[in-house]
Amino acid sequence: MKTRRSIYCLLFAICSCCFLLSCQGDESSDRGFSWSPDGKNVALLTSESDELLLIDVLQNDIGSIRRIHSGSGQSLPTWSQDSKYILYSQSGKEDTCFYYIYSLADNTKKSILSVSETQNAAWSPVENRILLVSGTEGEQVWSIVAPDGTQERVICQVDPNTEKFCWSPDGNWICFYGSGENNIIQKVSKDGGQKQTIYTATGLFEIKWSPDSRNIALNKKAGDNKYELSIIDAGGKNEKVVSNSDSEFSGIFWNGEGNCLYFKQGKNIYKWESVSQKNIKLTFDNVSDFYGLLDDGNLYFSIEYPNFFSSDDEEWNSKIISFLIRGDDRANQLIKYENFRFIKLMDNIDLFSLNTKTQARAYFKSFSSELLETDFCPVIHFENGNIFYLPRAKKEFLYTADEYYFRKNYKKAAEYLTEYWDTAFDSTGLKNLGDVEQSLFFSGEMDSNKTEIIFDAYTDGALLRTLMVSRKLQGNQRDVYLDLIQTVVMNYLKNTTEIPETKSDRIIWPVLQSYGRYNNYKDGNELLELFIKNMEIDSSLYCDIVLAQALFAYEFGEITFANKKLTGLADQFPAVYEGSDILKSIIWFPLLKMYKNQKKDFEKLLLAIVPTVPADDAADIYKFFGDRFTEAGKEDDALAAYQKAVTYKFDESGLWERIFELAGK
């Protein structure tokens, strides 16, 4: 029986549409990579630092990094076919959209248009020309412009409700359509002329030309909560239905010959063949993101790695706890489908992009940060194994420091921690960890601004990591660091107005995750012990820290210590327990496991925790008691436990079967 609850969710999305660039939020991404067609450069749009960067890509190395633009509201850029220009936009006030062309040759950018309600712009797939759609309330004007922004010609005017368009791969035609219930697909020649209506659809989401420009795939609605994927020829005739579904289609890709279509439906990837007119299911109900059929001829996608507890799978639960404490995630595993084989490439991948010229991979690496949130760091990974991290913001510096710490390159880890502190202190010019320590440990009282910065660094895990890296390099400052940590944490507890659950999480999880990630149980536990030294034992925070110590000890195999900390804790629970929601959601599993050997002590503690945990967990706890009582031949106790379980999970048929069986005896 699986507990239908996730510890946290990772939401990833990727959108693509035929060389398209838009100021509209639903068509753009706030981060991502865009490779030049010649494979020599990659543009990187960051979300944390709001920068657009241009990176020279060498053979198994990176060269210079140039910042092209900064500010929020930028779009992921697109490249000209000769790799000499990039096109991008930035949204402004009152729905104004600014379009820019950047020239690699002379390192200059130029604004080519600034208008209200502009829809989008796109490079021709065969020449250095841009289709620019400028709009007003009455009409849209479609123009072909050169990279320098000079207008060459107006090709047509269209209805202002037209929202999307895409070039045919041969560059001869442009298809366009709107949104709403009734969508008319029209096309016009690149040279202008009469617009041709080729198809009318209901609720059209996306169209995709085949590589030979002979056919068009249509992703559309087919009624209430019904969806359809079909194919028409370039004239809008000879429609063939590929698939019908109750769930939406996404990630639609043609093969190079234009006789196969790959698409994602639900959590699976399918292949449609024009010869057999059949769909072939390629995956196993666990696809997260579909990156498509790339130019190397292989499919790339990521699969989900479930994060839930199972009441009857101890090995699995141990892995989940290990992830929560050590950050050792396996979410979004990148898979390559090659020659009917599934090849696992990497874990924790988002927005993957492949340079098929050099086989270099660009992606965002996900990592667990403050309070189990997920952040992302941009990475370029070369075929020979060289990995370059590209941090631009505080938490990205922290993650990169982690990577070098794991490689035992403590000097490099210290460099990135220094970058973190330099950013935290608003670019004060810190050069190394020695400068950081000088700034942290100063005479006199700590001003409120610095206290806030240091406490934020504590919750990020940066302060604790700095202590551990500093000790590796210098072997000193430990006691001074602990005094500083104690000062900022106690100051926070004294002045905070946050609710008890938040207060517990902000104190506990930085310790578990920082020391857990760096495999340092001894110092982490000592710090937790320091926190509760002078704390009231009947407070929610005290109970949470003891539970955290037990969980930490359990993860590192210190079961005797975990038993010692938990023994008698039930008697210290306050009348109104307002503890950490995260701890309440996971502590019951190790308690159940340790309960087998310490029945009397942990039964009382488990029953004290039951009223505070989610209903599914409470049901699992009572089910566990019922199973143990059944094994011990205590049928009356087992019946009572199962009856208690169904009060939390009334629709659990398996529990009712056991109740009827025992009641019948």
Side-chain angles (χ1 to χ4, degrees):
M1 177 179 62
K2 298 293 172 80
T3 301
R4 296 186 297 275
R5 170 187 43 79
S6 175
I7 298 301
Y8 70 102
C9 296
L10 302 177
L11 302 179
F12 301 110
I14 184 170
C15 301
S16 59
C17 184
C18 187
F19 304 95
L20 186 70
L21 182 69
S22 171
C23 269
Q24 296 178 316
D26 61 347
E27 293 290 355
S28 60
S29 174
D30 61 353
R31 59 187 171 87
F33 288 93
S34 179
W35 289 101
S36 61
D38 63 9
K40 295 180 180 179
N41 293 277
V42 64
L44 166 62
L45 179 63
T46 70
S47 55
E48 289 294 323
S49 60
D50 290 325
E51 294 175 294
L52 178 58
L53 307 174
L54 183 65
I55 304 167
D56 295 330
V57 181
L58 311 175
Q59 185 65 36
N60 295 320
D61 201 352
I62 62 173
S64 63
I65 300 177
R66 288 176 274 179
R67 186 171 68 178
I68 296 174
H69 206 97
S70 61
S72 60
Q74 298 180 71
S75 64
L76 186 64
T78 55
W79 289 85
S80 62
Q81 292 306 299
D82 62 4
S83 301
K84 294 182 179 180
Y85 302 93
I86 61 173
L87 168 68
Y88 64 97
S89 67
Q90 183 174 25
S91 57
K93 296 180 180 179
E94 299 178 355
D95 296 324
T96 301
C97 187
F98 301 89
Y99 281 84
Y100 297 93
I101 291 286
Y102 177 82
S103 169
L104 274 69
D106 53 13
N107 193 28
T108 60
K109 65 181 177 184
K110 179 178 181 179
S111 176
I112 60 172
L113 190 65
S114 173
V115 294
S116 296
E117 298 181 11
T118 296
Q119 298 297 326
N120 39 43
W123 290 102
S124 163
V126 296
E127 59 181 343
N128 277 7
R129 295 292 181 268
I130 303 165
L131 174 63
L132 196 62
V133 181
S134 56
T136 65
E137 291 185 0
E139 63 184 11
Q140 290 181 7
V141 178
W142 289 28
S143 306
I144 301 290
V145 300
D148 63 4
T150 58
Q151 180 171 312
E152 292 189 345
R153 62 184 180 275
V154 174
I155 61 169
C156 68
Q157 296 178 348
V158 300
D159 184 278
N161 293 321
T162 300
E163 292 185 352
K164 301 179 182 179
F165 69 88
C166 60
W167 289 86
S168 61
D170 60 14
N172 291 327
W173 295 94
I174 304 160
C175 267
F176 53 95
Y177 55 100
S179 62
E181 290 302 314
N182 296 308
N183 303 133
I184 297 175
I185 302 176
Q186 295 179 296
K187 71 176 184 178
V188 65
S189 167
K190 67 173 182 177
D191 299 316
Q194 188 68 30
K195 293 174 288 188
Q196 303 176 31
T197 299
I198 62 172
Y199 192 84
T200 300
T202 300
L204 188 62
F205 299 117
E206 178 186 13
I207 67 175
K208 257 318 180 39
W209 286 88
S210 62
D212 57 10
S213 301
R214 293 182 178 181
N215 296 292
I216 303 171
L218 308 176
N219 180 8
K220 57 187 179 177
K221 288 193 71 174
D224 293 338
N225 299 317
K226 300 291 183 182
Y227 305 92
E228 184 175 274
L229 182 62
S230 64
I231 295 173
I232 57 174
D233 61 32
K237 310 296 183 183
N238 302 315
E239 184 172 13
K240 302 172 184 176
V241 175
V242 172
S243 182
N244 287 290
S245 174
D246 294 333
S247 58
E248 295 183 25
F249 299 95
S250 62
I252 300 169
F253 296 87
W254 291 90
N255 69 341
E257 293 75 28
N259 56 16
C260 288
L261 197 65
Y262 296 88
F263 58 92
K264 180 173 179 276
Q265 177 185 328
K267 294 186 176 182
N268 282 296
I269 296 171
Y270 294 83
K271 175 184 179 182
W272 176 84
E273 297 176 329
S274 61
V275 176
S276 66
Q277 301 283 298
K278 292 182 178 179
N279 292 320
I280 303 171
K281 181 180 174 183
L282 301 178
T283 53
F284 308 99
D285 305 310
N286 59 351
V287 174
S288 176
D289 295 317
F290 182 30
Y291 298 110
L293 181 70
L294 303 187
D295 290 343
D296 64 350
N298 300 311
L299 294 175
Y300 290 85
F301 58 92
S302 60
I303 61 173
E304 297 175 342
Y305 189 82
N307 288 313
F308 52 72
F309 285 109
S310 167
S311 61
D312 52 10
D313 191 339
E314 293 185 358
E315 182 180 356
W316 178 264
N317 293 340
S318 295
K319 289 180 180 178
I320 299 301
I321 288 178
S322 183
F323 153 62
L324 292 172
I325 292 178
R326 300 175 186 264
D328 185 22
D329 199 359
R330 291 291 183 272
N332 268 35
Q333 296 177 339
L334 182 66
I335 306 295
K336 178 169 71 171
Y337 182 68
E338 178 181 25
N339 296 327
F340 305 102
R341 294 184 303 135
F342 294 100
I343 303 171
K344 176 187 169 184
L345 300 179
M346 296 174 288
D347 295 320
N348 310 324
I349 301 303
D350 188 27
L351 299 179
F352 168 77
S353 179
L354 179 69
N355 181 342
T356 53
K357 302 289 184 182
T358 65
Q359 295 302 301
R361 306 165 185 167
Y363 51 88
F364 284 81
K365 185 85 169 177
S366 64
F367 60 97
S368 179
S369 65
E370 176 190 358
L371 299 183
L372 305 183
E373 293 177 356
T374 299
D375 289 288
F376 303 90
C377 184
V379 177
I380 296 180
H381 189 154
F382 289 96
E383 191 176 23
N384 72 342
N386 285 352
I387 300 176
F388 291 87
Y389 301 93
L390 302 165
R392 306 294 294 183
K394 285 199 307 181
K395 292 182 181 179
E396 294 172 3
F397 291 129
L398 195 59
Y399 169 77
T400 306
D402 287 351
E403 293 301 304
Y404 284 104
Y405 185 93
F406 301 148
R407 301 178 196 177
K408 299 185 178 180
N409 189 341
Y410 305 122
K411 289 185 178 180
K412 199 70 175 176
E415 289 179 16
Y416 284 103
L417 285 171
T418 302
E419 292 269 18
Y420 171 95
W421 287 104
D422 198 52
T423 305
F425 284 126
D426 197 19
S427 299
T428 55
L430 303 175
K431 304 300 181 187
N432 51 52
L433 274 193
D435 288 346
V436 171
E437 290 167 348
Q438 177 106 28
S439 184
L440 291 177
F441 311 124
F442 55 92
S443 59
E445 287 191 19
M446 186 179 296
D447 64 85
S448 59
N449 181 54
K450 185 161 287 190
T451 302
E452 186 176 340
I453 291 172
I454 295 175
F455 183 72
D456 285 345
Y458 169 81
T459 58
D460 280 349
L463 184 58
L464 303 178
R465 285 164 164 87
T466 302
L467 166 59
M468 287 185 277
V469 171
S470 178
R471 289 186 68 193
K472 289 290 185 182
L473 292 173
Q474 303 175 94
N476 59 15
Q477 295 285 19
R478 178 173 179 273
D479 293 336
V480 182
Y481 267 104
L482 291 180
D483 288 343
L484 177 67
I485 293 167
Q486 181 80 342
T487 298
V488 296
V489 168
M490 292 305 151
N491 185 70
Y492 161 75
L493 292 174
K494 178 182 178 181
N495 297 296
T496 186
T497 58
E498 292 181 313
I499 61 175
E501 295 93 327
T502 301
K503 185 165 61 177
S504 286
D505 287 336
R506 286 173 69 81
I507 297 301
I508 292 169
W509 283 102
V511 178
L512 297 187
Q513 290 194 298
S514 296
Y515 286 102
R517 190 161 174 78
Y518 280 19
N519 200 33
N520 187 349
Y521 165 75
K522 180 178 179 295
D523 289 346
N525 181 64
E526 185 178 329
L527 182 56
L528 290 172
E529 194 70 35
L530 184 64
F531 287 157
I532 63 173
K533 193 172 184 181
N534 298 308
M535 193 174 292
E536 295 180 10
I537 63 173
D538 60 346
S539 69
S540 293
L541 180 57
Y542 175 90
C543 293
D544 278 345
I545 293 177
V546 173
L547 289 174
Q549 285 183 289
L551 184 66
F552 204 41
Y554 172 85
E555 166 60 20
F556 281 88
E558 300 288 340
I559 305 301
T560 301
F561 180 81
N563 289 340
K564 179 181 177 182
K565 295 299 294 187
L566 292 172
T567 299
L569 183 62
D571 295 328
Q572 296 165 352
F573 263 67
V576 179
Y577 173 59
E578 300 175 297
S580 163
D581 287 337
I582 302 173
L583 272 175
K584 286 186 290 188
S585 296
I586 62 178
I587 192 63
W588 62 271
F589 163 68
L591 282 176
L592 290 182
K593 188 170 182 179
M594 290 186 285
Y595 167 84
K596 294 178 180 179
N597 300 319
Q598 300 275 340
K599 292 184 179 180
K600 180 178 291 186
D601 291 330
F602 293 117
E603 180 177 339
K604 187 175 181 180
L605 181 56
L606 280 164
L607 292 175
I609 290 176
V610 165
T612 74
V613 302
D616 278 2
D617 293 344
D620 283 339
I621 291 171
Y622 279 113
K623 173 185 175 296
F624 178 87
F625 281 135
D627 292 346
R628 299 290 82 78
F629 289 139
T630 300
E631 291 172 4
K634 299 179 179 180
E635 295 183 348
D636 289 343
D637 290 337
L639 177 60
Y642 291 136
Q643 288 172 331
K644 197 72 175 178
V646 295
T647 65
Y648 289 96
K649 195 185 295 186
F650 186 79
D651 60 346
E652 183 63 46
S653 59
L655 291 173
W656 284 109
E657 290 174 2
R658 297 183 191 190
I659 289 172
F660 294 143
E661 180 183 348
L662 290 171
K665 293 183 179 181

